[in-house]
Amino acid sequence: MSLRTIRVEGDEILRKSSKEIQVMTPRLRRLISDMLDTMYENNGVGLAAVQVGILKRLVVIDTGDDPHVLINPKIIARSGSQTGSEGCLSIPGKSGTVTRPEEVTVQALNENMEEITLTGSGLLARAICHECDHLEGQLYVDLVEGELVDDEEEYED
Ligand code: NI
């Protein structure tokens, strides 16, 4: 397992637009594996490459079903609306209310550079939108309704 350092808000790279991936390489495969490790280690449901300092259009998402690797993702359909709490590993300890589509369909390449289409609703739709925004240099705080709140402390026993 190999963890990458997560860039946090204030780091200007998070505001940059990421570049399309043309070809899979061993280095990119290692990046994907490290991003999954880093996401799970930090209890995240998604991570974009820019968050570990790599300006490539690559995101990983796992909302509890299966890990999804999305390369050059494009949201091709949106429907409905959901308003709920959202956070980001680059803005640790905070969350805020964001309205997103209830369901989205995204077209992308997988880790084998095969075309895939993924439709998600609820949390998966939210994660897809959130991670695709990262590729444009956008953060959820740009969309937040009201104030950011401190996440409740988690108690360990
Ligand atoms: Ni995020």
Side-chain angles (χ1 to χ4, degrees):
M1 188 168 91
S2 191
L3 301 178
R4 305 263 177 143
T5 301
I6 297 178
R7 306 296 185 96
V8 296
E9 198 187 14
D11 189 323
E12 65 182 24
I13 198 168
L14 292 172
R15 291 304 189 173
K16 294 186 174 166
S17 168
S18 294
K19 294 197 167 57
E20 289 216 342
I21 291 173
Q22 307 296 342
V23 60
M24 184 50 56
T25 63
R27 182 184 288 246
L28 269 175
R29 284 191 184 278
R30 198 164 62 241
L31 173 62
I32 292 168
S33 170
D34 290 354
M35 283 172 61
L36 285 164
D37 289 343
T38 303
M39 175 181 72
Y40 291 129
E41 180 70 16
N42 291 281
N43 300 312
V45 298
L47 190 68
V50 60
Q51 292 181 273
V52 295
I54 310 286
L55 283 169
K56 293 191 186 295
R57 301 184 82 83
L58 160 64
V59 309
V60 296
I61 294 172
D62 190 342
T63 54
D65 47 357
D66 277 313
H68 301 287
V69 175
L70 303 176
I71 293 170
N72 304 337
K74 284 190 180 68
I75 295 174
I76 57 170
R78 299 171 169 79
S79 64
S81 171
Q82 57 171 321
T83 299
S85 180
E86 195 162 318
C88 179
L89 293 177
S90 292
I91 308 170
K94 302 279 183 186
S95 60
T97 300
V98 181
T99 297
R100 300 284 193 183
E102 173 56 28
E103 184 174 285
V104 300
T105 298
V106 64
Q107 223 166 44
L109 302 172
N110 66 14
E111 64 273 33
N112 298 316
M113 299 300 273
E114 297 159 343
E115 280 189 30
I116 56 164
T117 302
L118 173 67
T119 297
S121 59
L123 180 58
L124 180 55
R126 179 177 293 282
I128 290 168
C129 295
H130 178 115
E131 299 312 326
C132 286
D133 281 356
H134 272 300
L135 303 183
E136 307 303 334
Q138 291 166 3
L139 298 172
Y140 83 90
V141 292
D142 305 342
L143 305 171
V144 77
E145 298 157 28
E147 301 290 313
L148 291 187
V149 296
D150 291 326
D151 282 343
E152 286 178 34
E153 301 223 1
E154 285 176 34
Y155 294 96
E156 291 173 23
D157 51 8

